[in-house]
Amino acid sequence: MAPNRSFIRGTMIVTLGTFFIKFIGMIYVIPFYHLVKEQGGALYMYGYIPFTIFLSIATGGIPLAVAKFVSKYNELGDYRTSRRIFKSGFLLMGMTGFIAFIALYGLAPWFAGRMLADDTQGNTLGDTTMVIRMTSFSLLLVPVMGLIRGFFQGHQSMGPTTLSQMVEQVVRIVVLLGAAFLILRVFGGSIAQAVGWATFSAFIGAAAGLAVLLAYWFKRKKHLNRLLLKQRVFEDLIPYKTLYKELLLYAFPFVFVGIAIPAFQQVDALTFNRTLSNMGFDKEAANVIFSGFTMYAHKLIMIPVSLATAFSLTLVPAITKLHYRNDRESLHRQISQILQATLFLTLPAVIGMSAIAYPLYASFYKVEAASLYGGNILRWYAPVAILFAFYSVNAAILQGLNRQKAAVVALMIGLLLKAVLNVPLIRLMGADGAVLATGIGFMGAVAYTFAKIKKYTHMNFHFVIRRSLLICLITLLMAGGVLLLQFFLSPLLSYSQGKWQSILLAVMGGIAGVAIYGGLTLKTTLASRILGERFTSKVSRFFSAKAS
């Protein structure tokens, strides 16, 4: 089954851009961690988690829904309808963003009170409320920005989205680190003040990203206007009421998909510290473990998931187009290809990360933190990321098939499992229990989405399963090799010896993992069968040239 090369090329710009965004989103955590420590990290997450949920509600799933809407009507030759929904959407997004800002700003004390345990020895109610309110300002801009991105994505144009996200991320991180450094090291301010202004950087970054998108719009306006001359549908204009009813039916499930991971984290925010406090942990210790789990380890494992995020951005309009063409064969091939590629690239990354968990965590943060809790959390949390990836991809497939409700039901199943199991498992296993509850929840959600994809497409997954077994086998061999390398190096080199030893051990383990997995997948031709002969031959020639 040959890969769809045009689709792979179409996702490359988004994939590389998303990887860059996630990578610098991980790198900035290193200096930020050393500035604000665990207490500041926990405070940052107290503000970030409710903001993410309100952001998903504010946008209402509109950006990806607009991408699907525009892709559908462009395929039907009704470019006029695509433009009408885009123009009228500005007002809607501006209103929902403003309402969400007011709501989060007003509800900040309630969220702060629920997330903090009764014993307030660490972050205070006032500090947490302030951070949530500083975060809320970006809700004024992000929904409008998301609408423009969805419009370009519906035209199969991923450049504006990717570049605007890159600019937004770079500006946000520069402001975040600059503000934290100046407040703490120059003006002698508090950690709460530093974290508050760090979260406000999201507003400044959003302004920069919006400026990029507006520049693209004015640059491409003539080309987009020419599409209107190709209009093939000349019936009466569809009433706005009908258009928005259809758009909202698309959009509503995207809200739930967008808040999947934040919703799981919100369960932890509401239960994690309180449960640990009831078990005898003091507030400061609970904050330290909470930040290590929900922020610092989470930042690391989301890097491999960025690939699935990139795929899901391109999947919705692509699957929608094939669905409305009723091209069943191409649809099956597309789904098979994307599932294989997701597993092929994400599984070795998360398992490899698990294999070098302790030196990796110590490389980015503190050696002591890796020894006490961070390394263990990362070791168990990293494999869960493969479930994050498949939920993202499967939900995008279902949305492209116009089966959005299945993605919502899947999330409800996952959240129910997480909510029921979280406290008992934390009591039984500590932080590892929260990781296990997240894994079980997402496992239930992913299983449900696979069942629904099979039902709605009548697709036979036997071929995908066979390929997946081979990927899993090679991944296990890779992980075994990395663990053996660490074992043989342990008398000479250990992450507990210091930061540079940790970095060296993590780099050596990473190189060994890439060499083993890459070598085996090239030797077995698995890489070429999934990614295409052209791509893998370029990789082989590059390394052959370096070797010679």
Side-chain angles (χ1 to χ4, degrees):
M1 188 178 294
N4 185 334
R5 291 184 177 85
S6 63
F7 180 76
I8 290 292
R9 285 195 301 269
T11 61
M12 282 306 294
I13 184 172
V14 184
T15 302
L16 294 175
T18 305
F19 182 82
F20 171 78
I21 292 164
K22 293 292 184 181
F23 182 74
I24 63 172
M26 175 185 70
I27 292 298
Y28 92 85
V29 175
I30 303 172
F32 187 65
Y33 170 85
H34 288 287
L35 285 169
V36 303
K37 308 303 181 185
E38 284 87 355
Q39 181 183 348
L43 185 58
Y44 184 89
M45 290 308 296
Y46 290 150
Y48 181 77
I49 293 173
F51 159 75
T52 307
I53 294 174
F54 269 73
L55 177 61
S56 296
I57 296 172
T59 56
I62 292 294
L64 281 175
V66 167
K68 178 177 177 178
F69 188 98
V70 170
S71 177
K72 171 190 170 181
Y73 281 96
N74 284 358
E75 183 65 23
L76 297 174
D78 193 356
Y79 300 98
R80 180 180 55 187
T81 296
S82 299
R83 183 66 65 88
R84 288 174 66 217
I85 203 69
F86 172 65
K87 288 183 176 179
S88 63
F90 270 97
L91 178 61
L92 175 65
M93 289 293 93
M95 290 174 58
T96 58
F98 181 75
I99 292 170
F101 160 69
I102 294 297
L104 182 57
Y105 194 94
L107 289 171
W110 183 88
F111 273 103
R114 295 302 179 276
M115 288 188 290
L116 292 172
D118 295 331
D119 177 19
T120 55
Q121 297 176 10
N123 294 307
T124 67
L125 180 66
D127 290 342
T128 306
T129 299
M130 180 271 293
V131 168
I132 294 173
R133 285 177 169 170
M134 293 288 277
T135 309
S136 67
F137 282 93
S138 58
L139 291 170
L140 296 169
L141 299 180
V142 176
V144 173
M145 184 166 56
L147 175 78
I148 304 174
R149 287 172 176 165
F151 181 74
F152 280 121
Q153 290 165 21
H155 284 83
Q156 304 288 298
S157 177
M158 302 299 170
T161 291
T162 304
L163 183 60
S164 67
Q165 287 176 330
M166 291 170 67
V167 170
E168 178 187 5
Q169 182 78 311
V170 169
V171 170
R172 182 182 74 86
I173 289 173
V174 169
V175 174
L176 180 150
L177 292 176
F181 178 81
L182 288 173
I183 290 171
L184 291 172
R185 301 295 170 85
V186 178
F187 299 113
S190 67
I191 287 179
Q193 291 172 324
V195 173
W197 282 100
T199 55
F200 186 73
S201 67
F203 175 82
I204 301 173
L210 182 59
V212 171
L213 289 168
L214 291 175
Y216 265 108
W217 165 253
F218 288 113
K219 181 180 179 181
R220 296 188 178 183
K221 190 174 181 181
K222 290 183 179 179
H223 167 71
L224 294 169
N225 286 340
R226 283 196 294 268
L227 290 177
L228 296 174
L229 301 177
K230 301 179 181 180
Q231 179 78 14
R232 298 198 303 268
V233 178
F234 299 100
E235 292 129 1
D236 292 338
L237 292 175
I238 303 173
Y240 276 113
K241 180 180 179 181
T242 304
L243 289 180
Y244 273 102
K245 182 179 179 181
E246 180 182 357
L247 184 65
L248 292 175
L249 284 173
Y250 291 161
F252 183 69
F254 283 99
V255 178
F256 290 89
V257 175
I259 66 173
I261 294 175
F264 274 69
Q265 289 184 310
Q266 187 64 56
V267 173
D268 287 313
L270 294 172
T271 60
F272 193 91
N273 280 11
R274 203 174 294 275
T275 304
L276 289 185
S277 294
N278 292 337
M279 293 169 62
F281 286 80
D282 62 35
K283 177 63 180 179
E284 184 177 354
N287 269 336
V288 166
I289 300 173
F290 176 78
S291 65
F293 171 39
T294 61
M295 182 175 181
Y296 297 122
H298 186 78
K299 285 285 184 182
L300 293 173
I301 70 166
M302 289 306 291
I303 297 299
V305 180
S306 65
L307 180 66
T309 304
F311 282 157
S312 63
L313 284 175
T314 55
L315 264 180
V316 175
I319 295 292
T320 298
K321 183 177 290 187
L322 293 174
H323 175 65
Y324 280 97
R325 285 181 183 174
N326 199 26
D327 188 348
R328 187 72 64 180
E329 182 180 348
S330 296
L331 181 64
H332 288 179
R333 186 163 54 247
Q334 191 91 296
I335 293 172
S336 175
Q337 174 192 336
I338 204 70
L339 292 176
Q340 291 177 59
T342 300
L343 188 68
F344 180 83
L345 295 169
T346 308
L347 183 66
V350 298
I351 297 301
M353 192 174 285
S354 179
I356 59 171
Y358 283 87
L360 183 63
Y361 198 96
S363 298
F364 281 94
Y365 309 121
K366 289 195 305 187
V367 174
E368 296 82 3
S371 298
L372 290 173
Y373 62 90
N376 188 63
I377 290 174
L378 182 58
R379 171 154 291 179
W380 291 104
Y381 198 18
V384 176
I386 191 65
L387 299 173
F388 296 169
F390 271 114
Y391 178 77
S392 176
V393 168
N394 287 3
I397 293 171
L398 287 168
Q399 289 159 347
L401 295 170
N402 208 24
R403 301 290 182 175
Q404 299 93 323
K405 290 182 181 179
V408 176
V409 174
L411 178 58
M412 294 298 100
I413 292 171
L415 274 176
L416 179 62
L417 290 170
K418 170 70 173 176
V420 170
L421 296 173
N422 208 47
V423 172
L425 289 177
I426 292 173
R427 288 185 175 278
L428 183 66
M429 304 170 61
D432 292 345
V435 173
L436 181 58
T438 297
I440 293 173
F442 267 98
M443 192 178 298
V446 169
Y448 185 84
T449 57
F450 270 119
K452 291 301 178 182
I453 291 171
K454 181 175 178 61
K455 176 182 176 181
Y456 296 133
T457 64
H458 306 290
M459 182 176 170
N460 190 329
F461 284 101
H462 289 164
F463 182 79
V464 177
I465 291 171
R466 289 202 304 272
R467 282 275 175 88
S468 299
L469 290 174
L470 181 56
I471 293 171
C472 291
L473 176 60
I474 294 176
T475 300
L476 289 175
L477 292 174
M478 176 271 295
V482 172
L483 291 172
L484 278 175
L485 175 66
Q486 291 182 84
F487 175 76
F488 285 120
L489 289 175
S490 58
L492 305 173
L493 194 63
S494 171
Y495 76 91
S496 60
Q497 294 172 346
K499 176 74 68 176
W500 288 108
Q501 290 86 345
S502 300
I503 293 173
L504 181 59
L505 196 56
V507 169
M508 292 174 66
I511 292 173
V514 170
I516 296 170
Y517 187 79
L520 290 174
T521 54
L522 288 172
K523 189 72 174 177
T524 60
T525 71
L526 178 63
S528 61
R529 282 179 279 170
I530 293 177
L531 301 179
E533 184 66 40
R534 184 178 177 183
F535 176 80
T536 53
S537 62
K538 285 183 178 180
V539 173
S540 298
R541 285 199 301 270
F542 173 80
F543 284 106
S544 297
K546 291 292 183 182
S548 60

